[in-house]
Amino acid sequence: MRVVVTGGAGFLGSHLCDRLLDRGDEVVAVDNLVTGSMANLAHLDGSRGFSMLRHDVSQHIRVDGSVDAVLHFASPASPRDYLELPIQTLKVGSLGTHNCLGLAKDKGARFLLASTSEVYGDPQVHPQAEDYWGHVNPVGPRGVYDEAKRFAEALTMAYHRAHGIGVGIARIFNTYGPRMRPSDGRVVSNFAVQALTGRPLTVYGDGSQTRSFCYVDDEVTGLVALLASNLAGPVNIGNPEEHTVAELAELVIEMTGSQSAIIREPLPVDDPAQRRPDIALARSVLGWEPTVALADGLANTIGWFRRELGRAR
Ligand code: NAD
Ligand code: UDP
């Protein structure tokens, strides 16, 4: 296959590029580097079948030659990033998705959308299955991300229904692993870097809010299974093992052997109180479920941050 991966220089997108190239696909990564980095793709420089196009996908996208799949992963994804880039986030979810769907239509390609558990907002149903419509504050600060992704899902389904293009909507739940940006502000990167540098771990609120953390290798396996299927979705791709943020802080301190304290900081506005995917659909239709335990995934991730911080020093 020849696959276009938007957001290919980001955390998830770069792992996706690796997986596709490993199985023999050709990959065109398209990225404007707003939150991504060429360092995530440096190991692919000169690799057979790989090319990179530096481009903002909120502008018309031109890719020469045939394309079998368009994987739309471009978007600021960490709350810190999308709160700093609210308009770019809305544009890449709306105009960017429109351009990517147009490219898929033009090339007769399958289209995959990186949607998110944030479409469920601060959910009042637990765990979240795909038929739950969510509980989103459209005018709150997180609305720029949540509503961009909800619009992207609606547009994807409109192209599917009106133009008959093959689509797959993945609702991705909190994913972690090597190549997260140390300063992206997400909980795993923050806690790992804080613990490794002896700074206090910043638990927002009382730490009783929950998340369900999926290791990046598992996530990519689920996404590739969705790509290979005919499923339009939406389908949750995440790890159903749920932890409080306070538990995660304790675990990171234990695993790093850090002397860091744990401190409390204010809970961000509209921070979801609980989040856990129901993955019955992914299990039955894609035959997928995560296999990497949190302790193992965190060990790899902490090891990677340790090396990155050492390199930076
Ligand atoms: P990331 O910030 O590491 O990667 C996003 C990439 O998109 C970056 O390389 C960035 O430069 C690029 N980008 C952003 N706007 C662009 C634009 N207008 N044109 C071209 N490139 C642009 O984030 P990530 O965690 O790898 O997330 C990737 C995708 O997965 C996003 O769409 C995100 O919403 C989705 N997602 C991620 C998670 C997660 O836990 N990592 C959870 C749910 C959904
Ligand atoms: N969080 C935290 N301390 C941090 C960063 C995040 O307590 O330093 C909390 C945050 O309030 C949220 C959870 O961890 O409840 C996950 O946050 P993240 O930014 O990773 O992703 P989200 O799931 O909110 O998009």
Side-chain angles (χ1 to χ4, degrees):
M1 287 173 82
R2 185 159 187 259
V3 185
V4 169
V5 180
T6 77
F11 159 56
L12 260 179
S14 65
H15 284 281
L16 208 44
C17 291
D18 285 348
R19 186 72 67 88
L20 296 170
L21 288 163
D22 280 351
R23 69 175 201 183
D25 289 351
E26 270 183 54
V27 172
V28 181
V30 185
D31 203 299
N32 68 351
L33 303 181
V34 65
T35 59
S37 165
M38 283 310 289
N40 291 333
L41 297 173
H43 60 289
L44 298 178
D45 198 21
S47 288
R48 243 178 92 125
F50 177 73
S51 59
M52 159 82 192
L53 180 63
R54 191 165 175 175
H55 178 70
D56 178 347
V57 299
S58 298
Q59 310 285 333
H60 178 80
I61 309 165
R62 182 178 155 180
V63 175
D64 293 330
S66 66
V67 174
D68 302 297
V70 176
L71 277 41
H72 182 32
F73 279 67
S75 172
S78 141
R80 177 179 291 170
D81 289 340
Y82 63 69
L83 295 175
E84 276 174 12
L85 301 164
I87 296 171
Q88 290 93 325
T89 302
L90 282 158
K91 283 173 78 174
V92 76
S94 53
L95 305 175
T97 302
H98 188 216
N99 290 328
C100 290
L101 281 162
L103 179 67
K105 176 169 166 269
D106 183 43
K107 303 286 185 181
R110 179 161 166 79
F111 174 82
L112 231 65
L113 176 68
S115 187
T116 169
S117 52
E118 278 280 328
V119 300
Y120 300 121
D122 186 5
Q124 301 194 311
V125 167
H126 194 72
Q128 295 80 54
E130 292 84 353
D131 59 3
Y132 176 49
W133 291 355
H135 182 235
V136 168
N137 175 2
V139 293
R142 295 175 89 100
V144 299
Y145 182 68
D146 303 7
E147 296 295 4
K149 292 289 186 179
R150 289 169 69 98
F151 177 88
E153 287 197 5
L155 193 61
T156 299
M157 290 312 294
Y159 264 68
H160 178 55
R161 293 187 184 113
H163 297 305
I165 73 164
V167 302
I169 297 173
R171 290 189 178 152
I172 301 169
F173 283 62
N174 297 63
T175 301
Y176 70 98
R179 299 188 198 151
M180 293 184 89
R181 228 167 66 243
S183 61
D184 81 359
R186 289 189 259 202
V187 69
V188 171
S189 39
N190 268 9
F191 286 178
V193 172
Q194 289 162 342
L196 290 171
T197 55
R199 283 180 289 138
L201 274 66
T202 50
V203 167
Y204 301 160
D206 64 6
S208 65
Q209 70 272 33
T210 65
R211 293 294 186 271
S212 305
F213 300 100
C214 189
Y215 189 60
V216 64
D217 288 355
D218 278 336
E219 187 66 42
V220 169
T221 302
L223 294 166
V224 168
L226 177 60
L227 176 61
S229 76
N230 289 322
L231 180 65
V235 57
N236 292 335
I237 313 262
N239 190 320
E241 194 184 299
E242 184 179 4
H243 295 271
T244 67
V245 165
E247 279 166 11
L248 181 72
E250 299 285 356
L251 184 59
V252 170
I253 287 186
E254 185 190 312
M255 290 186 65
T256 50
S258 173
Q259 301 297 311
S260 290
I262 294 178
I263 57 168
R264 296 267 167 85
E265 289 193 356
L267 191 66
V269 176
D270 295 337
D271 196 282
Q274 51 181 3
R275 179 182 289 161
R276 174 188 185 178
D278 176 331
I279 60 163
L281 181 64
R283 276 198 177 106
S284 66
V285 179
L286 304 179
W288 172 85
E289 63 182 358
T291 59
V292 181
L294 182 61
D296 295 333
L298 273 183
N300 287 347
T301 308
I302 289 167
W304 183 82
F305 275 118
R306 205 189 287 278
R307 288 190 294 279
E308 282 301 291
L309 293 170
R311 228 198 313 267
R313 268 196 293 273

